[in-house]
Amino acid sequence: NANFQELADRIESASSSNVYDYNKYVVTGSSITSKTFNTTGRCGDIDTRSYSRVAVAGGTELTVTVKEIDSSTGIACRHTDFNYLDTTTEFQWLGTIGYDAISGTYLGESEYDDPAVLMTSAMKLNSSWADGVATTVTTPPSAPAPGAPFVQMYTLAGVEEVTVPYNGGTTYSDCLKFHKLRFGADVQEVAWYCRVVGFTKSIITRGSGSNSTRELSDIQY
């Protein structure tokens, strides 16, 4: 009986060691104000992301403003806000807002009627979770209308080292590797989130063949 109890204790200990809390891998509570990524397969080769945080009911709302630029011309080609809610137990995706890349004019938005859960405070290695998301789309001058629902599945696929161009070449250890699959859109992504700095690298493949990569190249505090 003592041997069986020891085995049970070891299994429980091993299981708990494979539980990961997203709060250590996103930038909601950090002092990072912006990050820059080198990109391929996008409209531009530079991706800049600025972060703003607002305390709201239920947690902290994080807005990530993404702008893509062609460095050879200096012309912006994308401007999108991604809105998230950090509840301390879940990291939720609330929707997106699109703007004209040059003028900054509001173009429309997609709001998720039920937020998509991207990460939790008790993620287990090799586990998967999925959300079915209904959307409300606003495209001026049209009134808000139901958009296409989607199903998105996440898998915590591993814990790895990641090397990116930041600071002449930086290697981060113990980064969470996620596999993201969005059904209906034929999009798959592998993304790495590292402690303190958060999102660090991604590889995206699409059924259309428009594949892309992002690698962290700068951080501003």
Side-chain angles (χ1 to χ4, degrees):
N1 287 338
N3 290 339
F4 281 122
Q5 184 59 52
E6 181 183 2
L7 178 59
D9 291 342
R10 288 184 178 182
I11 291 174
E12 183 178 356
S13 175
S15 176
S16 63
S17 68
N18 287 336
V19 174
Y20 298 89
D21 182 352
Y22 78 89
N23 287 286
K24 299 176 181 178
Y25 298 89
V26 298
V27 298
T28 307
S30 79
S31 57
I32 293 176
T33 58
S34 68
K35 294 194 292 188
T36 302
F37 295 82
N38 295 344
T39 66
T40 64
R42 301 295 300 173
C43 65
D45 58 333
I46 299 295
D47 175 320
T48 63
R49 301 182 173 220
S50 58
Y51 302 90
S52 61
R53 306 161 181 88
V54 179
V56 298
T60 301
E61 188 168 308
L62 173 70
T63 298
V64 183
T65 298
V66 177
K67 294 183 178 181
E68 294 184 15
I69 301 170
D70 183 340
S71 63
S72 65
T73 62
I75 297 176
C77 56
R78 183 192 183 198
H79 180 177
T80 306
D81 282 354
F82 292 84
N83 298 318
Y84 305 93
L85 179 65
D86 182 350
T87 71
T88 73
T89 59
E90 290 185 346
F91 192 62
Q92 304 173 348
W93 188 10
L94 305 178
T96 61
I97 304 174
Y99 303 88
D100 181 87
I102 304 298
S103 67
T105 302
Y106 170 78
L107 299 178
E109 60 188 282
S110 178
E111 182 180 359
Y112 302 157
D113 301 344
D114 296 306
V117 176
L118 304 185
M119 304 179 191
T120 75
S121 58
M123 298 178 293
K124 292 188 177 182
L125 193 60
N126 297 318
S127 65
S128 299
W129 55 97
D131 253 335
V133 181
T135 65
T136 297
V137 176
T138 303
T139 308
S142 300
F150 65 90
V151 173
Q152 186 160 283
M153 184 174 75
Y154 273 57
T155 300
L156 179 52
V159 181
E160 299 181 348
E161 278 192 352
V162 175
T163 300
V164 291
Y166 173 56
N167 202 24
T170 301
T171 298
Y172 296 98
S173 59
D174 299 324
C175 300
L176 301 187
K177 175 184 177 181
F178 292 94
H179 176 233
K180 309 176 186 180
L181 178 61
R182 186 161 177 168
F183 296 93
D186 198 13
V187 177
Q188 297 191 58
E189 177 180 5
V190 175
W192 289 263
Y193 287 75
C194 303
R195 289 179 180 268
V196 183
V197 297
F199 172 57
T200 306
K201 178 181 177 180
S202 72
I203 299 172
I204 299 176
T205 63
R206 298 176 177 84
S208 63
S210 57
N211 305 330
S212 59
T213 66
R214 290 181 176 87
E215 293 185 311
L216 181 66
S217 58
D218 189 44
I219 301 175
Q220 296 294 320
Y221 294 89

